[in-house]
Amino acid sequence: MSALWLPCTQMQHLADHPPLAIVRAQGSTLYDAEGNGYLDMISSWWVNLHGHCHPTINAKISEQLATLEHTLLAGVVHPPIVELAERLVAMTPAPLQKVFFADSGSAAIEVALKMALQFCQQQGQTAKTKFIALEHGYHGETLGSLSVTDVALFRAQYQPLVIEQLTTPSPANLFAPPDIAQSEYEAQCLAHLKTTLAAEHTRICALIVEPLVQGAAGMAMYSLDFLAAAVACCRHYGVLVIFDEIAVGFGRTGTMFVCQALQARDATLCPDFLCLSKGLTAGYLPMSCVLTTQAIYDGFYDVRLERGFLHSHSFTGNPLAATAALASLDIFAQDDVLTRNQALIARMAQGLQALARQYPDRVALTRQTGMIAAFSLMTDKQNTDAQAARALARYCLQHGVLIRPIGAQVYLMPPYSTTLAELDTVFGVLLDALAALDISHLPPMDTVHLA
């Protein structure tokens, strides 16, 4: 361990609490060297979809490895990346016609921001140099993505490097005052957004949002009604829209993508950019992409090289990652995953209800969007308890369940391979952990996790 520096971790804390050492995994379970199993209730940072070491994905990657492991994607293509682009376009709303690949969620955000800005510049809209994002939003930790991230813990120490952008209040339930209905709070937030766009639209390039769920904010959730109204407002003022579905894409919210649910609500509404990563390869290999419209693409189509989109990295469109993504899409189709997940979604809702019913003073603001469930852990009815959340996580780990609270916000985002029986085990351990907290005030888990 002496050479290793871990992300999102205060390394000094590991002196007393060494990191969990995992040597293998299968399905929804991680295993340490002693054979102890841990149900992976955070999908290994929200990336794993179909379970670890899925035989279909393993076989497809092994087959691809024997033919082509990598080639550049500048002026060169290969069958897996061509097929993946076509399949992503086929399964997303019709206006999204082009796919640009990158390697990480942050890189996808960088691509979308740069693409939006350059498009506006090349359309002669040179005053449009600003972006607007929701307060408490998280879009990555590279400098461009950090400029539209509003989480001080990630951003404050790098402020001299960050370009200031505009923010508008988050409509999420986690931030609503206790004495106001959620619908009324969302209406207030929408009014603020409309006022800002009315005053600033001539210099705003795009709105960027995490649709429905702000993950790193603590699984803060808001309605499709707000999202639809926000997109419509941007359309009215000629402001582009970026959907960051990096965390919520590929079925996490119940539908494959939030933009599909938006189109079902109003066929005229679609983001100009859709950013995907995490579940894109079902948690196997780093890959991300940005889908965009023919109109955006046409804005770069020119004989002059400098008017092209000159963003790249060495491993763009890696064949092994593309093959993993294709295998994941096959599993969705063959196993009817989204339909099968409905039973898991219902069982998670029942589990949340049981926690709130048995511990009404400890468990507050239970919330769920599809396969994402969360609650706030309280010291009393007014104050959240981040220290108790860390203690709860340590108890769960000792009893075979891996969770990682975000402050006082405890959440579950399990792989789709999770069984109903495994969910029953998880909620049973959570009930026991809450009882142990009240009885013995367990010592805090001294590790830092924020997203």
Side-chain angles (χ1 to χ4, degrees), residues 308-325:
F309 188 59
L310 305 181
H311 180 103
S312 65
H313 74 93
S314 302
F315 290 95
T316 294
N318 175 262
L320 301 177
T323 297

Side-chain angles (χ1 to χ4, degrees), residues 31-260:
Y31 294 93
D32 64 20
E34 286 72 43
N36 299 308
Y38 306 89
L39 288 170
D40 184 1
M41 288 297 103
I42 58 167
S43 295
S44 292
W45 247 348
W46 320 348
V47 300
N48 190 281
L49 296 185
H50 308 296
H52 297 276
C53 293
H54 194 286
T56 298
I57 303 175
N58 288 2
K60 292 291 187 180
I61 291 176
S62 295
E63 180 182 337
Q64 180 61 42
L65 188 59
T67 58
L68 176 66
E69 87 297 348
H70 184 64
T71 181
L72 79 163
L73 206 64
V76 177
V77 297
H78 53 79
I81 204 65
V82 172
E83 182 182 354
L84 180 57
E86 295 295 339
R87 288 181 67 175
L88 288 171
V89 164
M91 65 195 302
T92 51
L96 301 174
Q97 291 292 309
K98 300 294 180 180
V99 188
F100 191 95
F101 286 95
D103 66 328
S104 70
S106 293
I109 299 300
E110 297 279 343
V111 166
L113 296 176
K114 291 171 68 176
M115 206 175 272
L117 179 65
Q118 187 176 345
F119 175 79
C120 288
Q121 296 293 306
Q122 294 182 176
Q123 295 297 303
Q125 300 172 322
T126 56
K128 286 181 170 285
T129 60
K130 289 295 182 181
F131 293 85
I132 184 168
L134 297 182
E135 292 176 357
H136 310 289
Y138 175 90
H139 299 286
E141 296 166 38
T142 52
L143 291 180
S145 61
L146 201 58
S147 73
V148 289
T149 288
D150 185 46
V151 180
L153 197 56
F154 291 112
R155 176 176 164 139
Q157 54 270 57
Y158 310 113
Q159 197 61 48
L161 294 172
V162 176
I163 297 173
E164 285 295 326
Q165 306 294 351
L166 304 174
T167 59
T168 190
S170 167
N173 48 10
L174 195 59
F175 310 114
D179 57 347
I180 185 172
Q182 177 63 21
S183 59
E184 183 180 349
Y185 177 66
E186 288 191 2
Q188 292 178 2
C189 293
L190 181 62
H192 188 282
L193 174 62
K194 288 180 175 179
T195 298
T196 303
L197 288 176
E200 304 284 357
H201 66 274
T202 57
R203 68 188 191 107
I204 295 176
C205 177
L207 167 72
I208 181 168
V209 295
E210 298 164 89
L212 301 188
V213 183
Q214 291 182 288
M219 301 304 161
M221 301 177 184
Y222 62 93
S223 75
L224 191 63
D225 291 337
F226 175 88
L227 188 65
V231 174
C233 190
C234 287
R235 289 284 169 265
H236 176 75
Y237 285 108
V239 171
L240 299 171
V241 177
I242 302 169
F243 273 18
D244 175 354
E245 294 207 39
I246 289 163
V248 302
F250 297 98
R252 290 296 185 190
T253 64
T255 58
M256 196 66 166
F257 304 109
V258 177
C259 59
Q260 291 174 322

